[in-house]
Amino acid sequence: MTGIGPNEVYSAITQGTIDGAENNWPTYQNMGDYEAAPYYVLDKHTMVPEILLASEAVLAELDEADVEIIKACARETQEFEKQKWAEKEASSEQIVRAAGCTITELTPEAFAEFQEAMTRPVTGVEGIDDGKSLYEMYGGAYQDVIDAITAVGEGF
């Protein structure tokens, strides 16, 4: 399998090279993809965490008061980013819906079926390791990271 860059999606759809793509509301709207591919499925198949990092080695060299300032700024930045992202998502969704796109929201049953499908072995697809699930191929090695992100996310 070969991917294409986000700047190529719109033209690839209009030229018939691909028949769809995946993205969040802001990217779908900002890149204009909603004009070429007016069908959007809300399946929550990907949710990318935004992460702030700091070097423990660098923090260890700073005064404790400075570290506390950095941590306080990080918390404020986190809250600001979440607020702005929610605003942008809402704005993009409104634009896409106003353009007349067809939005499909999965029922809880369909969502559970979608999640279960990620654990089934895949066969007969070029570039896919027959007999392994998509989760095994792309997610299994990161289960500890997935669990940690999920645990943090449950607090919101």
Side-chain angles (χ1 to χ4, degrees), residues 64-83:
E64 185 58 35
D66 290 336
V67 171
E68 289 307 312
I69 290 170
I70 291 169
K71 287 181 179 181
C73 289
R75 284 188 291 276
E76 288 180 31
T77 298
Q78 176 186 18
E79 293 307 314
F80 180 79
E81 189 275 337
K82 287 190 314 189
Q83 174 193 342

Side-chain angles (χ1 to χ4, degrees), residues 40-63:
Y40 192 84
V41 178
L42 292 169
D43 60 15
K44 299 180 184 176
H45 73 282
T46 183
M47 297 180 84
V48 180
E50 303 290 338
I51 301 172
L52 294 173
L53 301 173
S55 165
E56 285 186 22
V58 171
L59 292 176
E61 294 177 10
L62 299 176
D63 292 332

Side-chain angles (χ1 to χ4, degrees), residues 3-15 17-18 31 33:
I4 63 171
N7 293 330
E8 300 170 18
V9 171
Y10 184 91
S11 63
I13 293 170
T14 59
Q15 294 170 8
T17 306
I18 60 174
M31 300 302 286
D33 298 344

Side-chain angles (χ1 to χ4, degrees), residues 76-104:
E76 288 180 31
T77 298
Q78 176 186 18
E79 293 307 314
F80 180 79
E81 189 275 337
K82 287 190 314 189
Q83 174 193 342
K84 290 300 181 185
W85 182 255
E87 290 171 8
K88 179 59 180 165
E89 276 188 317
S91 169
S92 292
E93 179 180 355
Q94 183 178 20
I95 290 167
V96 167
R97 288 185 185 272
C101 292
T102 301
I103 311 303
T104 302

Side-chain angles (χ1 to χ4, degrees), residues 1 122 127-130 132-142:
M1 282 194 259
V122 177
I128 298 289
D129 187 3
D130 279 353
K132 288 189 175 181
S133 71
L134 292 174
Y135 172 77
E136 289 173 305
M137 288 185 283
Y138 302 109
Y142 305 100

